[in-house]
């Protein structure tokens, strides 16, 4: 009996599904129509449309952070991938597994300078750990299996599978069996012993990342801290962090280098747990890049190693029977009313945050004053902008909500940041995702204002200010959300904001609140 | 007397200005603050803010197409450049000169894996003809002069200057004098003679591009056509085309390969004038890529050669004293009222189009039925989507309007296309640009629907259709435009559309009309 025939596209889609990739965030074009057709015919592959590629790739990152498994993206040739690169950069920095499916011209057509002809692998190389472009339909399934394997390799990688149109449309496709991914390596006994010595012989701090910031990894870290007095840290922009009442508290390393260096300088030893040595976000004249250059640093677990198991093992040796120190539920009071400020809005968010919410945080300057307020809120996960490529927050919220339909997603956004991938709201509406978005409207790129002041000695002229000012005209996020089918309200006072946030949480599907706040407040 | 000191940023900005680059479309970040500060301090450099990088790069393309000179872009590291790549791809295909200024981490900081650390040159290589990253402030001015020289080399190139933050902030910058750009080469006598022989010995067609599609180049082509009976063609998506009453008519090569091959197959010789041999936009099973493979083809002028001078020379030899055939002003009547269709809307546009308008055309399926209606409208320029990277139309309109403040820009957009760079409307509002945008709202990616039908045998299922359908929820472009400070109305009937278009043309500044049309109409 001969095998049923299928084209390369169907082999790819079947292989992805059989390998556990069962959602595809998509913005396809003509050269991907055979893949669209295959997704249509293959049971068990969900497709979610984004109106812009940055939504697609950011959503795949959000999915990966919440599930630990890759989603597929579907992108149109070099330029479509180009539009998705910024959020793939963020996904790469988050160590999120992602499988990109990118169409290309048919192999015989690639020699011609057609309008969409471009060096697709060159686009892919900017963010990908692994790239392949099979040249025959019989190889497409195997390449797809390899893409998933690469993406799933610890701690998580960006795999880009480029599929020429003829490979997609020709018969001869063969689905491939799933390939085992490289599991996290076990930490050596020597590393465990070194960590135990450091913990018992002075002021130690542990910088946690990845699995160390959640579940049993984080609880073990909390037990170690309780038993030894070690301090627990995370990066300013950790990919995912469990937080809130009943959870182990972790100190965030400050964004600015000077206070970060001062903080870490209080340690006798810095122990890295799934994290690389901390470095400054940007460099400045006369400022060091390495935040812990003067602190003896040891590695308990590299990012590709089993950080959670390492922490459990260390805890079993130095904290047997010790319970972790956890945060008591004591959210600071929010003011009842008054002009809205970022701090007041964050206080309201902290009080009303639902249990097991997922907080996508890209409000930057506006979220900073409320970071502490959220510490004792209901237990939640925080997703940060890991790669500094603005425009990740709304798409992350899409992916997290698709991944976790039973949890409320709260998306905290700056007005400037929101405009990079505002199209995400439409996908939230179409998929009826339970995402509550707060846009902090301070009418400026506030994060840049203090940078410019530092550069120009506070004497920035009108041309410079015009590049940081988002007014003239003011953006109206109520109108923008409505234009994409998302209900929205504006809040100028604390009472209005509290009422709106409560309403949003009680609403199925997405909701946008424009929180109008004074610049610098 | 010692020279006044300046940092690398100021040397770059002064050099750009002195080299004739006096507008900068910008979306800067922290690492570009010294460049922002320098732009602020240097007289004669205008800065125009975009809320998304695709707006910035598409605007630079629009500026270049209308002025023939490069604008600068200002972009934030690898991801910021990433967001701008799609429209730089379009600019590259349009052979537009563009100078990208892209910040990078300070040289000593690049070794660390900071959040925004990326391979910036790798991002740049995807679209750039020339890349440099000076490592000392003393080299920055010279590099900027070279960037402008490269961008201006005929027919136009993408030059990307990467500026590390320390090179930007350190003293020791020296402005550099402008460098001469490679002017278009003169066409050989042999090429002139070959063209004359072809024109006199059978059915000849000339495929025009670049300078051959406007001004004296196009008029000379029209004289040649009048004298010899040669047919004049342009690509489906020519970068810029002069058109309308009193202008020489040029036939557009059909988008689909089969009719294009049939059309060109009627020729005995195809003469290339600034154009490469025509190729199909996409490839399909069993279809040739080359549209003129069976037609003897000769080159009168390569893209880097002086196409206009070559046409003038040929005309002087075969059409002395002959006037060009030009289009008579006879716009077909538009219906007075009735349900709005794309064709009816285009008929209204044709009747009301102001003299010397600039038409940015990215309506794709919706503009096609009205292409002929515009042929005899008032004289205008058309800008097309040259590289197939959707999301160019609104930004091109921005750049064209900045370049030509005395001309009305009419931006014809699809609803799907508009959503890739919808942020362009805000820049139109801030700069009070006279841009009238018509969004053809057919609630679908109509250009893909027939592609999918061809692939799936017309039996596309719900998952496939969901990736092409822009409904659920419908986009509301009146709300979206209002949200960015642009007045807008919706039109469902021909009379409403005609009234709205007339109102828009009478309004200073931008205006959006959502033209609601049935799918496929």
């Amino acid at each position: 009996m001969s095998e049923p025939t299928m084209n390369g596209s169907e082999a790819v889609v079947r292989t992805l599904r059989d390998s556990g990739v069962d959602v595809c965030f998509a913005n396809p074009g003509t050269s991907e129509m055979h893949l669209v057709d295959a997704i249509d015919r293959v049971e068990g592959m969900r497709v979610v449309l984004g109106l812009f590629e940055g939504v697609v790739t950011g959503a795949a990152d959000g999915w990966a952070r919440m599930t630990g498994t890759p989603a597929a993206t579907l992108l149109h040739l070099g330029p479509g991938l180009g539009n998705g690169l910024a959020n793939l950069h963020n996904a790469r920095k988050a160590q999120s597994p992602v499988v990109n499916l990118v169409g290309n011209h048919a192999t015989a057509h690639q020699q011609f300078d057609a309008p969409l002809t471009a060096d697709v692998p060159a686009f892919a190389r900017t963010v990908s750990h692994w790239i392949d472009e099979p040249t025959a339909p019989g190889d497409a399934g195997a390449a797809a299996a390899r893409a998933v394997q690469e993406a799933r390799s610890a701690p998580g990688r960006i795999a880009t599978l480029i599929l020429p149109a003829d490979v997609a449309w020709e018969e001869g496709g063969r689905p491939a069996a799933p390939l085992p991914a490289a599991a996290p390596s076990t930490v050596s006994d020597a590393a465990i012993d070194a960590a135990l010595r450091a913990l018992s012989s002075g002021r130690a701090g542990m910088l946690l990342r990845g699995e160390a910031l959640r579940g049993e990894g984080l609880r073990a870290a909390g037990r170690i801290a309780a038993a030894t007095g070690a301090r627990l840290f995370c990066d300013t922009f950790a990919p995912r962090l469990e937080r809130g009442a009943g959870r182990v508290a972790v100190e965030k390393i400050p964004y600015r280098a000077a206070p970060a260096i001062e903080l870490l300088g209080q340690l006798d030893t810095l122990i890295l747990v799934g994290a690389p040595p901390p470095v400054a976000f940007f460099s400045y004249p006369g400022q060091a890049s390495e935040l812990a250059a003067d602190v003896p640093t040891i590695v308990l677990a590299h990012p590709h190693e089993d950080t959670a198991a390492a922490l459990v093992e260390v805890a079993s040796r130095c904290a047997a029977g010790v319970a972790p120190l956890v945060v008591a539920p004591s959210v600071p009071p929010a003011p009842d009313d008054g002009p809205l400020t970022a701090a007041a809005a964050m206080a309201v968010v902290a009080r009303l945050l639902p249990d097991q919410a997922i907080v996508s945080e890209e409000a930057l300057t506006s979220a900073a004053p409320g970071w502490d307020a959220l510490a004792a809120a209901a237990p939640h996960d925080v997703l940060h902008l890991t790669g500094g490529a603005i425009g990740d927050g709304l798409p992350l919220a899409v992916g997290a909500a698709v991944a976790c339909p039973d949890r409320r997603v709260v998306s905290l956004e700056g007005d400037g940041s929101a405009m990079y991938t505002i199209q995400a709201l439409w996908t939230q509406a179409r998929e009826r995702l339970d995402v509550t978005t707060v846009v902090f409207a301070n009418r400026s790129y506030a994060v840049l204002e203090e940078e410019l002041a530092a550069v120009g000695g506070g004497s920035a002229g009108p041309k410079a200010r015009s590049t940081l000012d988002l007014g003239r005209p003011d953006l109206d996020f109520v109108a923008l959300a409505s234009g994409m089918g998302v209900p929205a309200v504006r809040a100028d006072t604390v009472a209005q904001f509290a009422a709106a946030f409560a309403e949003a949480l009680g609403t199925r599907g997405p909701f946008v609140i424009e929180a109008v706040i004074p610049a610098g407040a």
Side-chain angles (χ1 to χ4, degrees), chain A residues 326-343:
Chain A
V326 297
V327 175
S330 70
V331 179
D336 287 336
D337 204 356
L340 194 59
T341 62

Side-chain angles (χ1 to χ4, degrees), chain A residues 71-154:
Chain A
T73 69
L74 182 57
L75 302 167
H76 185 44
L77 303 178
L81 175 55
N83 279 335
L85 290 179
N87 278 340
L88 288 172
H89 168 89
N90 288 321
R92 179 185 172 104
K93 298 289 178 169
Q95 298 170 318
S96 292
V98 178
V99 174
N100 300 305
L101 286 182
V102 185
N104 199 355
H105 281 319
T107 47
H109 197 61
Q110 292 182 20
Q111 67 190 299
F112 302 106
D113 189 22
L116 273 161
T117 301
D119 186 347
V120 184
F123 281 86
R125 265 193 291 277
T126 58
V127 294
S128 305
H129 297 87
W130 178 93
I131 302 167
D132 194 17
E133 184 172 7
T135 56
D139 299 333
R146 185 82 195 283
V148 180
Q149 179 186 44
E150 288 286 338
R152 298 183 81 123
S153 295

Side-chain angles (χ1 to χ4, degrees), chain A residues 183-370:
Chain A
S185 310
T186 302
V187 164
S188 70
D189 291 341
I192 301 279
D193 292 342
L196 287 164
R197 279 195 301 277
L199 289 163
S200 65
S201 62
R203 294 162 304 178
M206 296 200 291
L207 178 55
L208 311 175
R209 207 170 196 264
E211 294 292 328
L213 287 173
R214 54 183 189 264
E216 65 171 355
L218 182 56
R219 284 191 299 276
R223 292 172 55 208
I224 296 165
T228 69
R231 293 170 73 172
L232 305 180
F233 300 103
C234 67
D235 293 325
T236 317
F237 301 100
R240 179 178 167 192
L241 168 65
E242 283 187 0
R243 204 159 181 251
R247 296 264 171 82
V248 173
V250 178
E251 298 176 70
K252 190 193 262 193
I253 295 180
Y255 173 71
R256 295 280 168 196
I261 290 170
E262 187 187 334
L263 176 69
L264 296 172
Q266 299 166 8
L267 303 176
D268 292 319
T269 309
L270 177 64
I271 305 171
L272 302 176
V273 190
V279 297
F281 202 95
F282 288 112
S283 55
Y284 297 89
Q287 176 209 282
S289 291
E290 297 169 281
L291 302 179
D294 299 328
V295 183
T297 299
I298 63 173
V299 177
L300 171 59
H302 291 284
H304 66 279
E305 293 180 326
D306 191 338
T307 53
L311 287 167
V312 168
E313 175 63 20
V314 170
S316 75
R317 304 263 292 274
C318 71
V322 177
L325 279 180
V326 297
V327 175
S330 70
V331 179
D336 287 336
D337 204 356
L340 194 59
T341 62
M346 290 293 286
V348 171
V349 169
R351 290 203 78 79
L352 298 183
L353 195 71
D355 187 47
Q356 301 303 324
I358 301 165
V359 177
S360 173
E361 196 281 282
E362 196 181 41
L364 307 179
T365 55
S366 296

